[in-house]
Amino acid sequence: MSNQHMPLWEVFIRPRNGLDHKHVGSIHAADSEMALQAARDVYTRREEGNSIWVVQSRDIVASDPDKSSENFDPAGDKVYRHPSFYDIPDEVGHM
Amino acid sequence: MYSQGLIGADTQTEESEEFLAAFQARIDREEKIEPNDPMPAGYRKTLIRQIGQHAHSEIVGMLPEGNWITRAPTLRRKLALLAKVQDEGGHGLYLYSAAETLGVSREQMTEELLSGKAKYSSIFNYPTPTWADMGAIGWLVDGAAIMNQVALCRCSFGPYARAMVRICKEESFHQRQGYELTVALAQGTPEQKEMAQDALNRWWWPSLMMFGPSDSDSQHSDQNMKWKIKRFSNDALRQKFVDATVPQAEHIGLKMPDPDLKWNPEKNKGQGGYDFGEIDWSEFWRVVKGGGPMNRDRIAARQKAWDDGAWVREAALVHAEKRRRRAREEASLEAAE
C-alpha cells in the first residue's frame, strides 16, 4: 500500500506579476492541495514567485518530437508572412 | 559526488550508426536534449544512473549535518544549518524530478537506494563527531560539489542542466557559511582552532575523492564527455578545487594534511598550481562499495524514514480518494435534482 504510486504533478510558477507562469519541475502529492504546498516548499524558498499552478503530469498532452519537422516547419517558403516582404514607398517612412 | 554517479555506467547502446551519428550531431551543435526526444538507450541509462545518484547524494547528505542541528552553538548557526539541510532536501527533489522525465519512477529510485543497488557520494559515509565538521562540510564538501555542479549546468540533457542552474544558485551560501564557521573556530581559542584543524584533517582527502577516480581509471569517461553529460575530466576539476582551496586554508592559518602539497609554477600551462600527494584509492573503493564508517547507518536512517512515513503516505492517498468520491457523489446528486 505504501508503495502505491503517489501522483506526479508538474509545477508552474509566475516569478512576478506581468510575467507568464513557467514550468519549473515536478512534485509528488496525493491531491492538488498538498501538491501546491509541496511545490511552495520545494520551488519557492527564495522569492522565486508569487503564484503557483500545479497540474497532474498525466493530464498533459504533448506533441510528438518525431513529428516536429512537420509541426514546426520553419515556413521558409512563406516569406509573405513577414513585414519585410511588402514594399512601402521610402517617403512614407517607418510603418 | 556527481562524477561518482558515472562509475560503472553502462554506456552500451544498440542503435544504428545512422541514429547515433544524428544524435551526436545534435550534441555537437550544442542542442539540448529534452525528455521526449529520441536518444540512445545508453544515454538514457547513464543519465538515469547519474541523476538518480546525484539526487540520493543530496538526500543522504542531509544526515551528517542533521546530526548537529539541535546542538548548534548559536541561533544564527542553527538557522543557517536548518536552511542548508532544507535546501539539500530541495535539491534532491529537483534532481529526482529531472530523472523522472527519463521514465524512471520515484518509487523505483527510492527502492534502489534502500536496497544498495544505487549508490550515493562516498563523502556522506564519514561521521561528523564535532561541530567543526559542519564548517568543513560546507567549506570543502560543498566547495567540491560546486566545482562539479557548475560544470554540470552545461550538461546536454535539458532538465538536468536546468536543475543544476537552480542548485548552483543556492549552493553558494552553503559553502560561505561553512567557511565562515571555520574562520570563527580558527580565530577562536587554541582548542577551537585545533578542532577546526582536526576536521580539515579528516575531510580533506575524502573531499578530493568526491571528484571520482582518476581519468586514467575512469571507465566510459570518453563516451560521457562525447555526449556532453560531463564536460570536464575528474582530474581537471580536482586540480581546480585544490588550487582554489589551499589559499583559503592558509588565510586562516590551517594546514592541509598533505606533506607532498607544494606550489608548482609550471602547472596549469604555466599559470601555476599545486602538486598534491597520492589519493588513497583503496579507501575510496572501500567506501563506495559499502565499507565506509557510516554506510550502514545512513541507509538504516533512510529506511527508517521511509518506513515511518508509510502511514502518512497511505493516509494522504486514502484521504484524497475519499474527497474525490465525495465530489463525484455531490455532482451526481446535483445532476439528479
Side-chain angles (χ1 to χ4, degrees):
Chain A
M1 176 75 196
S2 69
N3 283 324
Q4 192 184 329
H5 284 217
M6 197 57 88
L8 185 66
W9 304 74
E10 299 301 320
V11 180
F12 300 81
I13 290 179
R14 184 205 297 286
R16 58 175 191 272
N17 281 15
L19 297 177
D20 294 317
H21 284 76
K22 194 177 153 207
H23 183 248
V24 293
S26 64
I27 202 85
H28 285 270
D31 63 25
S32 55
E33 200 181 322
M34 282 187 268
L36 273 177
Q37 284 170 2
R40 192 210 55 163
D41 287 348
V42 174
Y43 291 104
T44 65
R45 288 194 302 284
R46 289 180 177 79
E47 300 172 59
E48 284 86 348
N50 62 13
S51 168
I52 303 176
W53 290 349
V54 290
V55 58
Q56 272 212 40
S57 309
R58 64 160 188 235
D59 291 335
I60 290 190
V61 182
S63 61
D64 181 353
D66 284 340
K67 295 197 176 126
S68 57
S69 59
E70 51 195 271
N71 275 337
F72 310 110
D73 180 280
D77 55 338
K78 299 191 173 85
V79 285
Y80 47 85
R81 282 179 172 169
H82 298 283
S84 55
F85 180 72
Y86 301 94
D87 289 328
I88 301 292
D90 286 347
E91 306 79 64
V92 173
H94 177 73
M95 183 181 280
Chain B
M1 8 202 122
Y2 317 109
S3 352
Q4 288 182 18
L6 293 170
I7 293 171
D10 179 9
T11 50
Q12 263 195 341
T13 209
E14 286 180 5
E15 291 80 8
S16 70
E17 285 299 317
E18 193 191 352
F19 177 89
L20 290 173
F23 181 77
Q24 190 60 49
R26 290 192 65 189
I27 300 272
D28 292 342
R29 285 196 300 272
E30 294 292 331
E31 279 181 36
K32 292 284 181 208
I33 306 303
E34 294 295 343
N36 292 335
D37 290 350
M39 63 183 85
Y43 181 81
R44 181 186 301 274
K45 254 192 326 208
T46 302
L47 275 166
I48 289 178
R49 185 191 177 93
Q50 157 134 355
I51 304 173
Q53 297 199 6
H54 194 163
H56 297 327
S57 299
E58 297 284 355
I59 299 297
V60 176
M62 297 164 84
L63 297 170
E65 291 170 296
N67 179 33
W68 277 93
I69 290 175
T70 55
R71 291 173 288 161
T74 67
L75 188 53
R76 184 174 185 272
R77 297 280 181 224
K78 186 182 235 171
L79 285 171
L81 198 55
L82 265 172
K84 178 179 191 297
V85 171
Q86 191 195 7
D87 272 353
E88 276 150 15
H91 295 173
L93 295 179
Y94 303 160
L95 289 161
Y96 283 131
S97 164
E100 286 176 271
T101 66
L102 288 161
V104 62
S105 74
R106 175 77 68 81
E107 287 78 4
Q108 192 184 333
M109 285 187 280
T110 305
E111 256 163 44
E112 289 184 358
L113 171 66
L114 297 180
S115 74
K117 184 170 175 235
K119 304 287 182 229
Y120 53 88
S121 177
S122 57
I123 195 77
F124 300 118
N125 290 316
Y126 291 88
T128 47
T130 77
W131 171 249
D133 292 334
M134 299 303 98
I137 288 183
W139 170 32
L140 304 173
V141 175
D142 289 283
I146 291 170
M147 240 7 134
N148 258 309
Q149 290 173 329
V150 166
L152 286 171
C153 290
R154 291 176 56 227
C155 168
S156 59
F157 184 58
Y160 192 27
R162 291 192 286 276
M164 288 325 310
V165 169
R166 198 166 20 240
I167 289 174
C168 284
K169 267 193 223 161
E170 300 183 350
E171 198 90 53
S172 166
F173 121 70
H174 298 182
Q175 189 185 16
R176 288 174 66 103
Q177 67 84 36
Y179 188 61
E180 190 203 76
L181 198 164
T182 306
V183 172
L185 290 173
Q187 294 172 347
T189 63
E191 289 83 2
Q192 287 171 326
K193 184 168 184 181
E194 200 185 308
M195 195 196 267
Q197 181 64 55
D198 167 65
L200 174 58
N201 293 348
R202 284 180 290 110
W203 290 96
W204 176 246
W205 291 106
S207 298
L208 296 188
M209 294 175 196
M210 284 175 67
F211 294 91
S214 193
D215 296 330
S216 50
D217 302 321
S218 223
Q219 277 179 311
H220 309 294
S221 191
D222 290 350
Q223 182 60 70
N224 292 322
M225 293 278 259
K226 224 175 124 200
W227 277 336
K228 298 187 181 166
I229 290 175
K230 56 187 275 189
R231 298 242 177 193
F232 299 94
S233 76
N234 295 352
D235 287 333
L237 289 170
R238 186 168 15 242
Q239 183 66 48
K240 223 172 136 190
F241 174 73
V242 171
D243 292 342
T245 314
V246 171
Q248 295 164 355
E250 279 171 359
H251 184 73
I252 52 176
L254 297 183
K255 208 172 166 307
M256 296 307 184
D258 179 0
D260 298 323
L261 187 80
K262 64 170 189 296
W263 179 253
N264 175 353
E266 310 289 312
K267 220 161 187 164
N268 297 334
K269 294 176 188 148
Q271 291 182 343
Y274 289 91
D275 287 330
F276 54 95
E278 185 65 28
I279 291 171
D280 181 358
W281 292 111
S282 64
E283 173 181 326
F284 171 74
W285 289 112
R286 192 170 68 243
V287 176
V288 165
K289 288 177 179 156
M294 297 299 281
N295 293 60
R296 273 177 28 176
D297 273 56
R298 299 299 183 226
I299 292 303
R302 288 312 308 154
Q303 183 72 55
K304 182 174 185 305
W306 178 248
D307 294 343
D308 290 353
W311 73 269
V312 180
R313 294 191 297 276
E314 284 171 24
L317 285 167
V318 171
H319 179 66
E321 181 50 38
K322 189 176 80 183
R323 292 204 339 174
R324 272 196 298 276
R325 199 177 58 234
R326 283 205 186 141
R328 274 199 305 273
E329 283 165 6
E330 279 168 25
S332 65
L333 272 178
E334 270 174 34
E337 273 170 15

